[in-house]
């Protein structure tokens, strides 16, 4: 566009300039030359442009220079078009540009003024009607002087990329107020952060305010601007609005409307049917619901309809496929249901209907949509056979996405079928594909997804010569049995997970970044030529039978972010060569036969987040030095031969991000590492705003780890970033449980079982408000169960069995979910669920706990006080009743329950006071005697 404008301008100049005799005033050409000299020409800034200023030569009249237009009568420069001129630099306030005071049109678009502020001097061009800074990347605050340009009709500022170009809310209002002649205003991506003012010029035909940070409610008057043709307000995430219910404007002039990602929370209005000139409508992700109104069938000129990412429902009306001009139909990610009718318009180019609840057959009439470039029907309930011949006549087809339906892809008349040469993307996950032959003719594919199909045996040899342009190949979840090599020179991602592949590990081409071949039957050693793939970013070899040592060189591939070799037969030492600058984020070697120590060079892997060395034969002491890794979230050393005590660290911060530490089934001894628990910032704060970190290749690989929770061994996938666990079970730890462990309030799982721990359960455990699974079984713990544990409302698994606990089992909201085996094998626990009731001596037991040495840590909080009172005043029968009530209260919180519980509490308090009075009186009486 820029270029054609240039040519036009040039042509125009030739016409005008050659037909009149112009004399450019000398001071003007001096100004122009000076201006030229303050800027540089950098061809690399925009290679497709050319520098107009190169023709500026003082030996010629300046009115004949490229991009310069003079007034025919006076010779004054009235237009300067330097668009797309490879200019780089700054225009400051004493630039000679500002001496061209007669300028009416100034076009500096498509140049590179990054870091340069827009000078307030621009406000002095009082004759200016056109000012174009599109993609010229000025930065900083736009001066308020711009609003002096009261003759401006065309004002375009939109930067090409995110710069910090901003317009103060106040100046935005001023600008709209003063520029009463404005017809086009383009401020896309300028940071305005304001509400939308009301005083728009009634001449406006184009208003582009997308991504400007506007907030508040869109005044309906915008939709009624009498001459409006283009309105873009998309990507203002804090903006909401409602559609006009009546005619938008009397002339129905609107042609392009983009309100995507603005919150409407509404149905599509009937009134859209009035916009009969509309040729493009974008309402992506606007929180729309309900049916598509019939009135949209009036939009006979519409070419592009983007309604994806909403909650629209009902069937897709048949007239939608008859709109005579429609080219792009995007309805994906809504709740549309029912069957598709046949396509009656052949103008369609893109049909994007993925992620709905559509069903029935894929319409055969697709073969008549001759200009079709993209078809996405994925993630619906389409069924029946789809013959590939449907696509053979669609010569422009770029992508076909049929994944995850209930269809079977078939190829009836075998030999004669060919894919259009244009086809680049073919995604056929779970399409019952059984044979390869129909893919023989697909020679220009970039992306091929055949996952979850019924492919067997080996990939045919022709594939390697026909699929040379492949970038992503996914054949996971099939029944492939062998693969020799993968001679595809440009491939980036190969996914062969969950097949039946045997033999040795195939080496991916050196272009490969993601290679996933886990869950197969590969055996033999890992060849060190795997390290020839120097671009590797993700290597997933888990769940095979690979044996021998891990190639040393793997530690030296600095691009590698994920190395997963879990559940193989690997032996020998870990690589010792992890290099500085390593990108390693996840290292999973769980379930092998690795020996020796953890290599110190792992300290070079500053990006490491997940380290799982569990279930090996490692022999080492606790690697406190790993605490220096700033991002480590998961450390599992379970089931090895680690030993010794965990010594206090001299480091200031250790394991600042750690969320999961699993040291279970080793031979650690000594006291529990209180000094470690003092750190662990990641377990001491609950941050609900925490979001899953995103990585390249995330769509393929999901971190996962095996943890024991709620008495079961499970694999936790993906939620790692939210999950916190400490598992120190089955070691030789002794001494008391440090009360500081109660500070790990973000913990979901705490397992200290099967050690030699002594003393009481710290009342501070009552602070572990997120804990779901607490296992202290198989220790030497004594005393009562602290009353504070009843406040653990998230607790769904509790095991205190096989200790020396005694006294009454505190009754709380969760108590009824625990069976008696949670408590078995103790010295003297009483009460539900072990025995029917906890007798009178319970009062003294409870008092004992309350006045025990640990009491200082326990706040007598409202609820625990309440439960104490409940225990004292009543037998356990009522407690259970109350705990159920409380449970309902904490979940549902109905008002009438609040009343009942308040009444009960009041009664209990009254009884308790009465009892205390009686006890006091008794004591007094006893003293008296
Ligand atoms: C508004 O425009 C007038 C000229 O029409 C000018 O005198 C005045 O300074 C402008 N106001 C602002 C705030 O720029
Ligand atoms: C749509 O067009 C029909 C005539 O085809 C007309 O009766 C109806 O009023 C129009 N609806 C709207 C909302 O413009
Ligand atoms: C569409 O969704 C609305 C709720 O937004 C619901 O009331 C209505 O029954 C749904 N209609 C269909 C056909 O699913
Ligand atoms: C297909 O596209 C071509 C080129 O844009 C156009 O001339 C032709 O009319 C289109 N066919 C249909 C049926 O719309
Ligand atoms: C990849 O291998 C090819 C030959 O097979 C070689 O020409 C190319 O330089 C290699 N690229 C890298 C990045 O090693
Ligand atoms: C790996 O690279 C080395 C040279 O660095 C070369 O000698 C060897 O042949 C390559 N192996 C493979 C399988 O490409």
């Amino acid at each position: 566009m820029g270029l054609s404008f240039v040519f036009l301008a040039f042509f125009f100049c030739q016409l005008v300039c050659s037909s009149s005799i112009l004399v450019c005033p000398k001071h003007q050409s001096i100004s122009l030359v000076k201006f030229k000299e303050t800027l540089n020409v950098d061809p690399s800034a925009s290679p497709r442009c050319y520098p107009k200023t190169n023709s500026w030569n003082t030996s010629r009249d300046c009115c004949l220079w490229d991009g310069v237009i003079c007034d025919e009568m006076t010779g004054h420069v009235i237009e300067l078009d330097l668009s797309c001129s490879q200019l780089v630099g700054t225009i400051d306030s004493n630039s000679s540009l500002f001496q061209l005071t007669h300028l009416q049109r100034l076009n500096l678009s498509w140049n590179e003024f990054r870091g340069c502020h827009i000078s307030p001097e621009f406000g002095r061009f009082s004759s200016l009607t056109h000012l174009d800074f599109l993609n010229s990347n000025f930065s900083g605050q736009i001066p308020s002087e711009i609003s002096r340009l009261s003759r401006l009709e065309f004002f375009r500022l939109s930067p090409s990329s995110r710069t910090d170009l901003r317009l103060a809310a106040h100046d935005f209002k001023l600008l709209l107020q003063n520029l009463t002649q404005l017809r086009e205003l383009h401020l896309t991506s300028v940071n305005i952060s304001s509400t939308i003012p009301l005083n728009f010029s009634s001449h406006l035909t184009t208003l582009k305010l997308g991504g400007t940070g506007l907030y508040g409610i869109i005044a309906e008057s915008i939709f009624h601007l009498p001459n409006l043709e283009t309105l873009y307000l998309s990507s203002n995430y804090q903006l909401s609005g409602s559609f006009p219910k009546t005619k938008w404007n009397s002339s129905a002039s609107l042609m392009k409307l983009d309100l995507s990602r603005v919150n409407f929370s509404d149905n599509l209005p009937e009134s859209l049917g009035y916009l009969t000139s509309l040729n493009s409508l974008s309402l992506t992700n606007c929180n729309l619901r309900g049916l598509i109104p019939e009135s949209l069938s009036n939009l006979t000129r519409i070419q592009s309809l983007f309604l994806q990412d909403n909650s629209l429902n009902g069937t897709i009306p048949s007239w939608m496929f008859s709109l005579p001009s429609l080219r792009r139909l995007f309805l994906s990610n809504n709740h549309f249901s029912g069957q598709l009718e046949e396509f009656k318009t052949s103008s369609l180019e893109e049909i994007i209907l993925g992620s709905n609840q559509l069903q029935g057959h894929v319409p055969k009439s697709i073969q008549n949509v001759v200009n079709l470039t993209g078809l996405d029907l994925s993630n619906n309930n389409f069924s029946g056979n789809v013959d590939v011949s449907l696509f053979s006549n669609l010569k422009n087809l770029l992508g076909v996405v049929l994944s995850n339906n209930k269809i079977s892809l078939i190829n009836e008349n075998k030999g004669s079928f060919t894919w259009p040469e244009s086809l680049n993307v073919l995604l056929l996950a779970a399409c019952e594909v059984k044979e390869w032959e129909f893919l023989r003719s697909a020679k220009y594919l970039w992306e091929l997804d055949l996952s979850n199909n019924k492919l067997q045996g080996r990939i045919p040899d022709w594939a390697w010569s026909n699929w040379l342009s492949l970038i992503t190949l996914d054949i996971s979840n099939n029944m492939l049995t062998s693969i020799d090599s993968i001679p595809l020179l440009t491939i980036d991602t190969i996914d062969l997970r969950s097949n039946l592949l045997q033999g040795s590990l195939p080496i991916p081409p050196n272009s490969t970044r993601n290679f996933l071949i886990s869950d197969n039957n590969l055996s033999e050693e890992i060849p060190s030529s795997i390290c020839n793939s120097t671009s590797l970013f993700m290597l997933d070899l888990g769940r095979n039978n690979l044996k021998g040592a891990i190639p040393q060189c793997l530690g030296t591939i600095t691009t590698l972010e994920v190395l997963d070799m879990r559940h193989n037969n690997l032996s020998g030492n870990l690589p010792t060569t992890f290099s500085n600058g390593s990108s390693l984020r996840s290292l999973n070697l769980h379930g092998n036969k690795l020996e020796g120590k953890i290599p110190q060079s792992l300290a070079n892997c500053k990006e490491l987040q997940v380290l799982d060395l569990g279930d090996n034969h490692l022999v080492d002491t606790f690697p406190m030095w790993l605490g220096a890794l700033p991002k480590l979230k998961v450390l599992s050393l379970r089931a090895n031969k680690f030993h010794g005590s965990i010594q206090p660290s001299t480091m200031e911060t250790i394991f600042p991000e750690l969320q999961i530490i699993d040291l279970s089934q080793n031979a650690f001894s000594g006291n529990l590492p209180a000094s470690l628990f003092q750190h662990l910032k990641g377990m001491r704060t609950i941050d609900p705003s925490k979001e899953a970190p995103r990585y390249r290749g995330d769509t393929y690989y999901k971190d996962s780890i095996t943890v024991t929770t709620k008495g079961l061994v499970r694999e936790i996938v993906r939620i790692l970033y939210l999950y916190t666990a400490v598992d120190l079970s089955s070691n030789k730890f002794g001494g008391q449980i440090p009360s500081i462990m109660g500070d790990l309030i973000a913990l979901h799982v705490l397992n200290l079982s099967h050690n030699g721990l002594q003393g009481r359960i710290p009342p501070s455990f009552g602070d572990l408000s997120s804990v779901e699974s607490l296992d202290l079984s198989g220790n030497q713990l004594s005393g009562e169960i602290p009353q504070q544990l009843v406040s653990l409302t998230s607790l769904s698994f509790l095991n205190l069995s096989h200790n020396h606990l005694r006294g009454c089992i505190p009754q709380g909201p969760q108590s009824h979910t625990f069976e008696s085996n949670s408590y078995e094998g103790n010295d003297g626990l009483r009460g539900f669920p072990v025995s029917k009731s906890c007798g009178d001596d319970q009062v003294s037991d409870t008092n004992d706990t309350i006045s025990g040495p640990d009491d200082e840590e326990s706040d007598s909080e409202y609820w625990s006080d309440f439960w104490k009172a409940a225990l004292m005043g009543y037998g356990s029968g009522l407690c259970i009743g109350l705990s159920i009530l409380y449970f309902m209260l904490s979940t549902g919180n109905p008002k009438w329950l609040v009343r009942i519980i308040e009444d009960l509490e009041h009664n209990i308090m009254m009884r308790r006071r009465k009892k205390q009075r009686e006890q006091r009186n008794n004591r007094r009486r006893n003293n008296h005697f």
Side-chain angles (χ1 to χ4, degrees):
M1 183 173 67
L3 267 180
S4 59
F5 191 35
V6 169
F7 284 128
L8 271 181
F10 185 69
F11 186 61
F12 185 66
C13 176
Q14 292 296 316
L15 260 180
V16 173
C17 306
S18 50
S19 61
S20 349
I21 307 130
L22 297 166
V23 183
C24 171
K26 183 130 185 97
H27 65 89
Q28 284 195 163
S29 52
I30 292 173
S31 299
L32 284 167
V33 168
K34 274 192 188 157
F35 177 57
K36 168 187 169 175
E37 282 168 356
T38 59
L39 297 171
N40 294 318
V41 169
D42 180 358
S44 71
S46 33
R48 283 147 54 110
C49 299
Y50 78 97
K52 295 182 193 172
T53 49
N54 279 6
S55 73
W56 291 11
N57 185 333
T58 41
S59 64
R60 286 178 81 204
D61 189 313
C62 85
C63 297
L64 299 174
W65 293 354
D66 202 355
V68 180
I69 290 176
C70 302
D71 185 282
E72 274 186 65
M73 313 302 284
T74 63
H76 291 138
V77 175
I78 53 168
E79 178 167 350
L80 192 54
D81 177 2
L82 291 175
S83 60
C84 206
S85 291
Q86 301 179 336
L87 297 177
V88 176
T90 58
I91 302 174
D92 56 29
S93 292
N94 41 26
S95 167
S96 55
L97 175 68
F98 300 115
Q99 284 155 13
L100 303 169
T101 50
H102 299 279
L103 272 186
Q104 293 169 17
R105 292 165 169 258
L106 175 59
N107 188 346
L108 296 175
S109 62
W110 298 96
N111 288 293
E112 185 57 65
F113 299 113
R114 198 173 294 266
C116 171
H117 288 219
I118 296 175
S119 164
E121 295 294 305
F122 279 102
R124 285 180 32 187
F125 291 120
S126 56
S127 310
L128 217 55
T129 59
H130 284 66
L131 182 56
D132 196 349
F133 288 164
L134 176 72
N135 293 346
S136 51
N137 297 331
F138 282 101
S139 58
Q141 178 107 13
I142 297 164
S144 59
E145 282 78 0
I146 290 291
S147 51
R148 296 216 187 118
L149 304 175
S150 54
R151 295 204 190 160
L152 219 49
E153 294 168 18
F154 179 101
F155 187 26
R156 187 156 68 171
L157 261 176
S158 320
S160 64
S161 53
R162 289 252 157 235
T163 59
D164 67 339
L165 193 61
R166 48 187 199 279
L167 179 61
H170 169 258
D171 292 337
F172 182 40
K173 288 203 178 67
L174 212 59
L175 189 140
L176 293 172
Q177 194 180 318
N178 235 15
L179 307 192
T180 52
Q181 304 303 309
L182 266 187
R183 291 170 199 279
E184 293 202 24
L185 180 60
H186 302 246
L187 296 175
T188 310
S189 297
V190 174
N191 181 357
I192 306 178
S193 303
S194 149
T195 54
I196 301 188
L198 295 173
N199 47 356
F200 287 99
S201 152
S202 60
H203 300 295
L204 271 179
T205 58
T206 297
L207 182 58
K208 295 192 181 180
L209 297 173
T212 51
L214 294 173
Y215 58 88
I217 295 170
I218 303 174
E220 200 180 307
S221 56
I222 280 202
F223 300 124
H224 297 302
L225 285 169
N227 297 302
L228 204 60
E229 291 169 7
T230 300
L231 177 61
Y232 290 176
L233 296 175
S234 58
S235 301
N236 288 301
Y237 299 94
Q238 318 275 350
L239 197 60
S240 57
S242 26
F243 298 106
K245 300 290 179 236
T246 58
K247 230 172 171 163
W248 291 47
N249 66 11
S250 50
S251 58
S253 54
L254 207 57
M255 294 196 285
K256 293 177 192 298
L257 180 62
D258 186 352
L259 303 173
S260 296
R261 291 170 285 280
V262 172
N263 185 10
F264 279 87
S265 303
D266 198 356
N267 290 22
L268 279 170
E270 287 282 340
S271 66
L272 281 171
Y274 290 116
L275 302 175
T276 47
S277 308
L278 211 58
N279 64 43
S280 160
L281 175 64
S282 304
L283 296 171
T284 300
N285 201 348
C286 287
N287 215 346
L288 300 171
R289 48 178 186 255
L291 309 175
I292 293 184
E294 184 75 28
S295 67
L296 253 65
S297 61
N298 285 13
L299 306 184
T300 50
R301 297 198 191 160
I302 197 129
Q303 298 190 355
S304 312
L305 189 52
F306 300 96
L307 298 175
Q308 71 269 36
D309 303 328
N310 284 294
S311 305
L312 298 169
N313 66 1
T315 53
I316 298 178
S318 58
W319 51 257
M320 202 154 241
F321 299 116
S322 324
L323 285 171
S325 312
L326 193 63
R327 290 161 55 186
R328 312 177 73 193
L329 178 62
F330 283 66
L331 301 178
S332 55
N333 206 8
N334 276 289
H335 304 317
F336 291 114
S337 55
Q339 308 206 358
L340 290 187
E341 301 199 25
E342 297 295 332
F343 297 96
K344 294 185 197 73
T345 167
S346 48
S347 60
L348 277 166
E349 290 169 16
E350 281 169 272
I351 304 174
I352 308 297
L353 307 177
S355 298
N356 280 290
Q357 291 136 33
L358 298 165
Q359 61 190 53
H361 289 267
V362 173
K364 288 225 164 42
S365 50
I366 279 186
Q367 61 193 348
N368 304 327
V369 186
V370 290
N371 281 349
L372 196 67
T373 58
L375 175 69
D376 178 0
L377 303 179
S378 65
N379 300 303
N380 279 290
N381 293 322
F382 288 109
S383 56
N385 290 347
V386 175
D387 195 312
V388 286
S389 64
L390 217 53
F391 305 109
S392 51
N393 287 328
L394 308 177
K395 297 300 175 213
N396 298 317
L397 207 55
L398 293 170
V400 174
V401 183
L402 301 176
S403 297
N404 304 320
N405 282 287
K406 293 176 188 145
I407 58 177
S408 305
L409 201 76
I410 56 163
N411 181 14
E412 292 247 280
N413 35 357
K414 306 271 181 217
S416 57
F417 170 76
T418 48
W419 287 100
E421 285 193 359
S422 50
L423 192 73
N424 294 142
V425 176
L426 186 55
L427 309 187
L428 302 172
C431 287
E432 300 279 323
V433 177
K434 296 185 189 68
E435 49 108 11
W436 304 93
E437 196 53 33
F438 78 103
L439 289 166
R440 196 189 267 266
S441 59
K443 293 193 181 174
Y444 301 94
L445 287 180
W446 297 341
E447 185 172 359
L448 177 59
D449 184 355
L450 295 169
S451 63
N452 288 292
N453 279 297
K454 305 254 159 78
L455 293 163
Q456 303 184 2
R458 55 199 296 272
I459 300 172
D461 290 335
W462 53 254
W464 307 129
S465 46
N466 287 11
W467 297 350
L468 280 178
S469 48
L470 266 188
I471 294 171
T472 299
L473 174 63
D474 186 349
I475 320 184
S476 61
N477 287 291
N478 278 280
M479 291 172 288
L480 300 184
T481 46
S482 77
I483 188 159
D484 315 324
S485 64
I486 307 165
L488 298 172
L489 290 182
T490 55
I491 195 120
D492 177 273
T493 297
I494 305 170
D495 191 345
L496 296 167
R497 285 178 290 185
S498 300
N499 277 284
L500 306 168
L501 295 172
Q502 298 172 354
S504 58
L505 177 70
I507 299 301
N510 62 6
S511 59
T512 313
R513 294 196 306 164
N514 305 311
F515 186 52
L516 304 97
I517 195 165
S518 55
D519 279 293
N520 278 287
N521 293 328
L522 297 173
S523 52
E524 327 228 340
E525 297 197 1
I526 301 173
S528 58
S529 54
I530 186 89
C531 300
N532 284 20
S533 307
T534 47
S535 330
L536 268 184
F537 152 62
M538 184 178 294
L539 182 59
D540 180 6
L541 310 178
R543 296 196 166 84
N544 278 288
N545 280 315
L546 297 167
K547 57 190 187 202
I550 300 174
Q552 277 287 332
C553 58
L554 274 177
T556 60
I557 304 183
T558 51
T559 52
L560 202 61
E561 287 195 15
V562 174
L563 180 55
D564 188 342
M565 300 183 163
R566 78 181 84 172
H567 299 294
N568 277 288
N569 264 321
L570 300 169
S571 55
N573 291 338
L574 270 73
T576 54
T577 53
F578 293 98
S579 11
N580 243 330
S582 155
S583 311
L584 206 59
R585 157 173 80 80
S586 182
L587 176 59
N588 197 324
L589 302 173
H590 194 109
N592 282 287
K593 294 177 179 153
L594 298 166
E595 298 166 347
K597 298 187 170 197
I598 303 181
Q600 294 275 339
S601 64
L602 262 185
N604 290 330
C605 304
K606 294 280 189 286
E607 301 296 320
L608 200 60
Q609 296 190 11
V610 177
L611 178 60
D612 189 347
L613 304 175
D615 232 326
N616 276 290
H617 302 162
L618 301 172
V619 182
D620 203 348
T621 54
F622 181 74
M624 190 64 91
W625 52 271
L626 283 175
L629 293 178
K631 298 182 179 171
L632 195 66
K633 284 185 164 47
V634 177
L635 175 62
S636 175
L637 305 176
R638 69 186 273 147
N640 276 286
K641 295 174 185 159
F642 285 91
H643 56 86
S645 64
I646 299 180
Q647 300 292 344
S649 167
T650 52
M651 287 180 273
E652 289 215 335
T653 49
I654 44 176
F655 299 109
E657 294 288 323
L658 203 64
Q659 291 180 200
I660 297 180
I661 181 167
D662 187 347
L663 308 179
S664 63
Q665 301 175 56
N666 279 289
F668 286 114
S669 55
N671 288 339
L672 287 180
S675 62
L676 181 65
F677 302 130
Q678 260 159 23
H679 296 273
L680 302 186
K681 236 172 44 209
M683 300 190 193
R684 294 166 74 99
T685 42
I686 296 175
D687 179 4
S689 67
K690 215 176 243 177
E691 284 182 19
R694 299 196 58 80
Y695 302 98
R696 294 184 284 154
D698 247 11
T699 43
Y700 290 95
Y701 184 85
K702 293 170 177 48
D703 278 312
S704 66
I705 187 167
T706 308
V707 299
T708 309
T709 169
K710 303 179 186 178
L712 299 169
V713 180
R714 304 167 188 234
E715 189 138 308
I716 307 277
V717 186
R718 220 9 166 9
I719 54 165
L720 278 182
Y721 70 100
L722 285 177
Y723 202 79
T724 50
V726 170
D727 190 346
L728 307 178
S729 63
S730 302
N731 277 286
K732 297 175 184 164
F733 288 114
Q736 307 224 353
I737 301 178
S739 142
I740 193 166
M741 290 195 81
D743 289 1
L744 307 178
I745 54 170
L747 268 189
H748 294 103
V749 177
L750 177 56
N751 190 348
L752 303 176
S753 66
H754 301 98
N755 278 290
L757 300 171
Q758 298 164 353
R760 289 160 180 261
I761 299 172
S764 65
F765 273 19
D767 297 334
L768 300 174
S769 56
S770 311
V771 83
E772 292 161 15
S773 174
L774 177 60
D775 193 346
L776 304 176
S777 63
N779 280 291
Q780 315 286 334
L781 298 169
S782 56
E784 282 91 23
I785 301 172
Q787 199 59 45
Q788 285 80 357
L789 291 198
V790 300
S791 53
L792 301 181
T793 49
S794 304
L795 199 62
S796 61
F797 175 86
L798 176 69
N799 193 350
L800 303 178
S801 65
H802 302 286
N803 278 291
H804 304 303
L805 300 168
R806 62 186 178 90
C808 281
I809 296 170
Q811 302 296 318
Q814 247 61 19
S815 309
H816 64 288
T817 53
F818 307 130
E819 312 259 331
S820 58
N821 56 9
S822 293
Y823 303 102
E824 73 190 7
N826 276 290
D827 290 356
L829 282 175
R830 289 186 304 285
F832 180 83
V834 172
S835 61
K836 279 225 168 64
S837 70
C838 219
D840 277 342
D841 53 335
Q842 160 189 348
V843 174
S844 60
D845 271 347
T846 314
N847 277 341
D848 201 2
T849 310
I850 290 169
S851 58
D854 281 325
D855 190 39
E856 272 157 33
E857 294 199 31
S858 74
D859 304 350
S860 56
E861 272 179 42
Y862 171 80
W863 278 110
S864 48
D865 218 42
F866 172 45
W867 291 111
K868 272 174 233 159
L871 276 170
M872 291 204 308
Y874 294 89
S876 57
L878 182 58
C879 286
I880 298 163
L882 275 179
S883 63
I884 290 168
L885 270 183
Y886 176 52
F887 181 64
M888 293 165 75
L889 190 67
S890 65
T891 49
N893 209 12
K895 285 229 165 59
W896 59 271
L897 264 177
V898 178
R899 272 301 303 278
I900 288 182
I901 217 129
E902 278 171 1
D903 285 355
L904 275 172
E905 189 204 5
H906 180 74
N907 278 340
I908 291 163
M909 287 300 172
M910 294 309 284
R911 276 170 191 244
R912 182 160 99 159
R913 271 188 211 138
K914 192 172 157 215
K915 192 157 191 163
Q916 282 169 347
R917 245 192 334 266
E918 281 169 11
Q919 280 173 348
R920 252 197 321 268
N921 289 345
N922 281 346
R923 234 176 284 140
R924 222 175 281 152
R925 221 176 298 142
N926 290 346
N927 287 348
H928 198 72
F929 288 118

